[in-house]
Amino acid sequence: MKKFLILVLSVGILGCANNKTEQVSTIKIKHEKAQKISEMMKSYIENNFDSSIISDDAKIKFNQLEMTKSDFEDLVNTHHAMFSEISFPEGWMETVNYAGNDVKNAGGKYAEDYGSTWTSQWSDWTAVSKISGDTISNHCFFGYKWENDKIIQISAIFPDEAFNKELAMFMKANKK
């Protein structure tokens, strides 16, 4: 009986000593990183784009179009040449730090995101075309991957048919 009691106590003590808390993903709403994105997008709307939070070698992808930070800055200028009354409200933003065994064991290309931090933004971009006069509105999603205090990746998903139509008219009207 004494050996049994020692065995039970030993298992209990060892079990408590090895009880490690697993890291879990965290979600923050209205986080400081989201605020920085809000400020950047406000500067976009005001045609005074401040991209200082974006890393110089960031990977940026709008639907299937890949671009550099410089290309992104040029796109802002093109938007303001093509459109007036540009609106891009803050929308819904949340910042997630991905951690825990569920992420670590995800497999495939997503396994490399273990420990990464992303801010997700859902919003509606709206503007009036300077060429056609049409109002264009696109529901969109932006994912911003952070490394420390810099955005190192942007992934944007939105319908681009109306924008591409306006871009073709803009290019034709501005042919030199």
Side-chain angles (χ1 to χ4, degrees):
M1 178 72 169
K2 187 176 178 183
K3 288 182 181 181
F4 177 72
L5 185 57
I6 292 173
L7 178 64
V8 169
L9 286 173
S10 297
V11 170
I13 290 170
L14 289 174
C16 290
N18 289 329
N19 188 10
K20 294 181 182 176
T21 304
E22 179 188 338
Q23 257 192 319
V24 295
S25 297
T26 58
I27 300 173
K28 295 182 180 179
I29 310 300
K30 298 284 186 177
H31 187 260
E32 66 185 49
K33 291 184 183 318
Q35 182 59 39
K36 288 179 180 182
I37 292 167
S38 290
E39 291 168 9
M40 178 180 69
M41 296 316 289
K42 182 179 178 194
S43 74
Y44 156 72
I45 292 167
E46 295 171 349
N47 197 15
N48 188 25
F49 191 51
D50 178 3
S51 62
S52 60
I53 62 170
I54 301 174
S55 171
D56 288 338
D57 60 350
K59 295 178 182 175
I60 303 170
K61 191 171 184 180
F62 280 30
N63 291 332
Q64 298 302 315
L65 177 64
E66 294 182 15
M67 63 184 85
T68 65
K69 178 180 177 178
S70 178
D71 295 334
F72 185 34
E73 293 164 338
D74 290 343
L75 181 62
V76 170
N77 295 329
T78 301
H79 276 200
H80 284 277
M82 291 174 58
F83 299 101
S84 63
E85 301 177 45
I86 296 173
S87 170
F88 190 77
E90 187 174 281
W92 174 262
M93 282 198 272
E94 63 186 23
T95 300
V96 180
N97 179 14
Y98 291 96
N101 285 332
D102 55 335
V103 177
K104 193 174 191 176
N105 297 325
K109 67 181 183 179
Y110 299 105
E112 68 191 39
D113 278 325
Y114 179 74
S116 66
T117 300
W118 284 81
T119 298
S120 299
Q121 179 182 27
W122 294 264
S123 187
D124 293 292
W125 178 89
T126 304
V128 176
S129 169
K130 292 180 180 179
I131 302 289
S132 69
D134 292 343
T135 298
I136 297 172
S137 184
N138 284 332
H139 184 70
C140 49
F141 167 81
F142 282 74
Y144 306 91
K145 185 177 184 178
W146 294 88
E147 187 171 280
N148 300 316
D149 287 330
K150 291 285 190 179
I151 295 170
I152 61 167
Q153 184 175 338
I154 301 173
S155 298
I157 303 169
F158 50 88
D160 58 3
E161 293 155 3
F163 177 83
N164 288 342
K165 177 183 165 192
E166 292 295 329
L167 180 61
M169 288 188 287
F170 177 80
M171 298 297 283
K172 185 176 179 182
N174 288 289
K175 233 181 205 179
K176 295 182 177 166

